Amino acid sequence: MDRFHISGPTPLIGRVCASGAKNAALPALAASLLTDEPLTLCRVPRVRDLRTMRRLLDYLGVGSEERQAPGSEAPRAVRETALVLQRARPSSSTDAPYELVKTMRASVLVLGPLLARYGSARVSLPGGCAIGVRPIDQHLKGLAALGADVRLAGGYVEARASRLAGAHFRFDLPTVTGTENLLLAASLARGTTVLENCAREPEVADLARLLNVMGARISGAGGDTILVDGVDGLGGAAHRVIPDRIEGGTYLIGAAITGGDVLLEQASAADLAPLLDKLAEVGVEIEVSPAGIRARTGGGLRARDVATAPHPGFPTDLQAQYMALMTRAEGTSTIRETIFENRFQHAPELARMGARIHVDGGSARVDGPTELTGAAVMATDLRASACLVLAGVAAAGTTVVDRIYHLDRGYEGMELKLQGLGAHVARVAESQAI
Ligand code: EPZ
C-alpha cells in the first residue's frame, strides 16, 4: 500500500513523454489469442493492468516476453518496451477464472477471441467496480447476434459456437470494450458483420489497425459503423500501440493547475482534441507543433462547464483531473458525468484540501478559485488518484495520497515523470510511512 508524499505548490515545467495507451494495449494483447504466430507490440506501458492481462494470457497458454525496443533512449522510467506474445502450448483451457478477472474488468476482452478461435469460452463476470455497475450485456448480446450460445452460470459467462457467423448488430449504446470484443470475434467469423452505434475511441481504431495487419478485413473503425469481413485465419504482426491520451492529458492539466509550462512529447493532438479545446476555453495557452503539445498558463483560469461523453466528446477518464483544475478557476463550473454513475469519489477528498464542491447525482458544482492546502487523502480509483496527485502538486504544504496502487494500474512511472517536471513527489512504502 504505497503512498505518495507530495510537497507543494510547484509549477510543473519541462518535457514529458507520453507512454503507450493502457486502453489500446489491453485489447491488443487479447488479440494474441487469435493466432499461433508471434505478435510484437511496441510501446506497451509497464503498468499493473498489463501485467494482469499477461498473467491471464499465460494461463490461457500465450507466453509473453519483454524486450527493449530498439532506439528507445528515454530515461529508464519510460524506456519503450517491445512485448512479444506467442502461443506457448496448445490451447488447454478457454477458461478465464474469477481470481484473475476480478482484479481487472478488461479481462472480459478474452471472451470474443477465445470464442472465435476455439468455439468456446468460459469467462468470469467482472463483478463490481468503484465507478459504476458496468454491465457487459452489450458484449453478450453482440456475440449472441454472431450466433454464439451464451449463458450465465455460477458467476461465469459460458459461450459456445462451432463457428461464429457474420451479422448486423447495433449496440444500444457506444461501449469501448464491447466494440473491441466484437471486432476481435467478428474477425474470424464466417461472412460479413456490420456493427452500428460503435464506440469511436482512438483505442478502438488502433485495435482495428492491428487486426488488419494480422490479416483481418475491417473498415470504418473510429466511426460509428464498422464493417468486418471475416477471414479463416490470422497471422502474426508487429504493431506500435498509440500514445496514451488520458495519461498525456493528465500532464497537460497538471501544467494548467500548477501554473506551469509543459511540453508533452509523442502524443496525438487529434486524439486529445476534446481536452485541448476545453483547456483553451479555460484560458490555457495550447501550442501544437512537431515537438509536441505545449500547455502553459499566462493569466488566470476561467471556470467552464463540461459534460463527459463518448469520443469525440470530453473523456470521462479526464473528468476527475478536470475537476481538480476547476477548483483553481475563477467562477463556478458544473461538471456532468454522463458515462458512469459513481465517478465523483474524488470530490470529498478534494474538499479535504479546501475545495468547494457540491455533488448532486451526476452533476458537481465547483466554486473557485480556491488555494488548495495539503492534506492526507485517499485514492478510490485510477483517475481519482491522478486527480489527487495533481491537486497535491498544486497545494500549499504536504499532501499524502494513500492507496497509490490504483494509480499504478494505469500510469507508468508517474512520480519519476513528475519529478522530471520539478515536482516534489516521493513514493513511500507503507512500512516506511511516518
Ligand atoms: C473503457 O471501459 C475504458 N477501459 C474505461 O477506462 C473508460 O472509462 C470507458 O471505456 C469509457 O470511455 C478500457 O478501455 C479498458 P464502456 P468500458 O463499455 O469499455 C455502459 C480507465 O480509467 N455499458 O464504454 O468498460 C457502461 O456501464 C478506465 O482507464 C453497458 O450498459 O466502458 C457505461 O455506463 C475506466 N453495457 C457505458 O456503457 C455494456 O455491455 C460506457 O462503458 C457495456 C457498457
Side-chain angles (χ1 to χ4, degrees):
M1 292 277 256
D2 289 4
R3 301 170 172 174
F4 271 8
H5 283 228
I6 308 169
S7 53
T10 311
L12 294 177
I13 296 175
R15 299 161 173 260
V16 64
C17 187
S19 295
K22 165 183 80 78
N23 291 346
L26 288 166
L29 263 73
S32 66
L33 291 162
L34 292 170
T35 179
D36 286 347
E37 292 177 32
L39 210 52
T40 302
L41 301 175
C42 287
R43 198 159 51 179
V44 171
R46 287 206 241 55
V47 294
R48 194 147 49 85
D49 276 9
L50 270 301
R51 290 193 288 278
T52 304
M53 183 59 96
R54 287 176 67 184
R55 265 205 311 280
L56 176 56
L57 291 172
D58 185 58
Y59 180 87
L60 294 164
V62 174
S64 57
E65 188 196 346
E66 203 173 302
R67 297 191 192 142
Q68 209 54 62
S72 96
E73 286 79 30
R76 165 140 184 70
V78 288
R79 199 178 298 163
E80 201 167 295
T81 307
L83 194 64
V84 180
L85 299 117
Q86 177 145 34
R87 176 152 291 286
R89 54 184 189 275
S91 165
S92 50
S93 164
T94 56
D95 254 32
Y98 176 64
E99 287 320 307
L100 285 170
V101 171
K102 73 176 179 188
T103 59
M104 182 185 67
R105 306 183 55 77
S107 309
V108 72
L109 286 166
V110 302
L111 177 59
L114 284 173
L115 184 58
R117 182 86 199 284
Y118 299 104
S120 76
R122 184 171 176 271
V123 175
S124 168
L125 283 167
C129 172
I131 65 176
V133 178
R134 303 183 73 178
I136 59 166
D137 59 303
Q138 296 299 304
H139 300 234
L140 307 184
K141 242 174 117 178
L143 293 172
L146 297 186
D149 170 27
V150 181
R151 300 157 197 233
L152 298 181
Y156 280 75
V157 178
E158 294 181 352
R160 284 184 181 287
S162 51
R163 179 155 186 205
L164 294 172
H168 198 119
F169 178 70
R170 183 180 171 80
F171 291 99
D172 297 338
L173 76 178
T175 153
V176 176
T177 49
T179 304
E180 292 165 347
N181 237 333
L182 266 290
L183 284 184
L184 291 158
S187 295
L188 286 180
R190 179 180 292 112
T192 301
T193 296
V194 180
L195 299 173
E196 287 192 277
N197 200 21
C198 298
R200 301 170 57 189
E201 271 68 6
E203 294 76 23
V204 172
D206 199 43
L207 174 65
R209 259 190 300 276
L210 164 62
L211 290 168
N212 281 344
V213 178
M214 293 170 71
R217 301 217 304 260
I218 301 172
S219 54
D224 57 13
T225 301
I226 303 177
L227 224 70
V228 186
D229 286 322
V231 296
D232 295 336
L234 293 170
H239 175 77
R240 191 159 185 251
V241 169
I242 55 172
D244 197 319
R245 63 195 168 100
I246 306 298
E247 182 220 22
T250 300
Y251 291 110
L252 295 175
I253 293 176
I257 195 176
T258 61
D261 182 347
V262 168
L263 177 69
L264 174 65
E265 297 171 321
Q266 302 216 13
S268 156
D271 293 351
L272 275 162
L275 173 70
L276 301 182
D277 295 348
K278 186 53 72 178
L279 289 180
E281 267 183 55
V282 166
V284 181
E285 288 169 41
I286 299 290
E287 207 182 299
V288 177
S289 72
I293 304 169
R294 185 175 179 186
R296 60 188 155 149
T297 50
L301 300 167
R302 297 184 287 265
R304 286 292 178 272
D305 298 349
V306 76
T308 62
H311 192 82
F314 190 90
T316 172
D317 294 346
L318 286 172
Q319 176 260 98
Q321 301 90 317
Y322 185 78
M323 183 183 280
L325 179 65
M326 284 301 101
T327 66
R328 315 270 295 154
E330 189 73 41
T332 297
S333 57
T334 298
I335 298 175
R336 277 198 316 116
E337 175 53 60
T338 71
I339 307 286
F340 295 111
E341 59 278 14
N342 189 28
R343 204 170 202 181
F344 284 140
Q345 295 174 75
H346 39 283
E349 299 301 313
L350 287 172
R352 290 177 52 72
M353 303 175 76
R356 292 168 289 143
I357 303 170
H358 175 72
V359 173
D360 179 11
S363 272
R365 195 192 70 236
V366 183
D367 294 314
T370 300
E371 291 302 321
L372 298 174
T373 49
V377 291
M378 187 151 68
T380 48
D381 62 76
L382 170 59
R383 307 303 171 183
S385 41
C387 148
L388 298 175
V389 170
L390 294 184
V393 178
T398 302
T399 297
V400 177
V401 184
D402 205 348
R403 301 189 176 185
I404 279 300
Y405 61 84
H406 287 292
L407 195 80
D408 293 335
R409 296 189 53 177
Y411 285 88
E412 183 177 43
M414 189 173 206
E415 72 269 32
L416 294 166
K417 289 192 179 187
L418 287 172
Q419 288 162 4
L421 295 170
H424 305 288
V425 182
R427 174 185 294 264
V428 179
E430 189 174 22
S431 56
Q432 292 170 282
I434 303 164

